[in-house]
């Protein structure tokens, strides 16, 4: 039996979800309803990964239609660039913090995935600014959590 690409995607999402759940459970901060701590949002994402992965796998298994081409060369290049940018984002969060690294990486990803579309630089800058501010406000004011300030500024 040959696995379809959607089935592989579903399996990868499930495995990643389980792997991240194991890593999250290594946090030494207790989880409580009064203060969910740093485990809450990643655990919600893990549950989403596992549910979506299972759904993608199940739907692909039920489907009898022909499978289209998954990614062309340009798509794979974008995936690799995205992974590289996310690795830079992790380093950026560690050294320069959220407020500097998030807009830079967000703008880079927006530019990467806007190829072929006619989106102005102004629109991308507004989107980047709004996304950064919204996430900041949700974390700091709604959840009462801090964002990384970076080792260079701490």
């Amino acid at each position: 039996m040959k696995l379809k690409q959607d089935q592989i995607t579903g399996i990868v999402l499930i495995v990643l979800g389980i792997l991240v759940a194991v890593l999250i459970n290594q946090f030494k901060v207790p989880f409580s309803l009064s203060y969910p701590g740093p485990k809450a949002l990643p655990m919600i994402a893990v549950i989403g990964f596992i549910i979506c992965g299972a759904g993608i796998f199940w739907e692909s298994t039920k489907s009898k239609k022909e499978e289209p081409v998954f990614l062309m060369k340009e798509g794979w290049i974008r995936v690799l660039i995205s992974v590289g940018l996310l690795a830079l984002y992790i380093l950026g969060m560690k050294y320069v913090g959220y407020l500097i690294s998030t807009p830079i990486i967000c703008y880079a990803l927006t530019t990467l995935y806007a190829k072929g579309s006619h989106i102005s630089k102004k629109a991308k800058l507004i989107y980047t600014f709004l996304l950064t501010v919204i996430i900041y406000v949700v974390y700091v004011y709604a959840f009462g959590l801090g964002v990384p300030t970076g080792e260079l500024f701490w």
Side-chain angles (χ1 to χ4, degrees):
M1 175 183 163
K2 182 182 177 201
L3 286 176
K4 297 178 184 177
Q5 290 169 342
D6 284 348
Q7 290 172 318
I8 294 169
T9 301
I11 291 169
V12 167
L13 284 174
I14 292 169
V15 169
L16 283 175
I18 292 169
L19 177 67
V20 172
V22 168
L23 293 172
I24 291 169
N25 284 320
Q26 293 177 0
F27 288 173
K28 302 295 183 214
V29 179
F31 181 86
S32 70
L33 292 177
S34 62
Y35 176 68
K39 287 185 177 184
L41 290 178
M43 194 56 83
I44 291 169
V46 161
I47 292 168
F49 269 45
I50 293 172
I51 290 171
C52 290
I56 290 169
F57 183 84
W58 177 255
E59 286 298 317
S60 182
T61 303
K62 288 184 355 183
S63 175
K64 303 289 185 212
K65 65 182 180 177
E66 192 66 29
E67 193 173 71
V69 175
F70 184 56
L71 280 178
M72 307 293 259
K73 182 181 178 183
E74 183 178 306
W76 283 110
I77 291 171
R78 283 186 182 177
V79 168
L80 291 174
I81 292 171
S82 296
V83 169
L85 285 171
L86 292 175
L88 285 174
Y89 184 52
I90 292 168
L91 286 173
M93 292 284 268
K94 180 177 180 175
Y95 293 109
V96 295
Y98 173 83
L99 290 175
I100 295 174
S101 60
T102 300
I104 293 169
I105 296 299
C106 183
Y107 186 83
L109 286 170
T110 304
T111 302
L112 176 67
Y113 285 101
K115 290 197 188 241
S117 301
H118 298 290
I119 300 173
S120 69
K121 287 182 182 180
K122 182 179 177 182
K124 288 188 282 188
L125 286 170
I126 291 170
Y127 169 77
T128 297
F129 174 76
L130 287 175
L131 182 68
T132 302
V133 169
I134 289 169
I135 292 171
Y136 181 83
V137 167
V138 168
Y139 264 83
V140 173
Y141 296 106
F143 294 145
L145 303 171
V147 294
T149 55
E151 291 178 7
L152 296 178
F153 303 111
W154 185 221

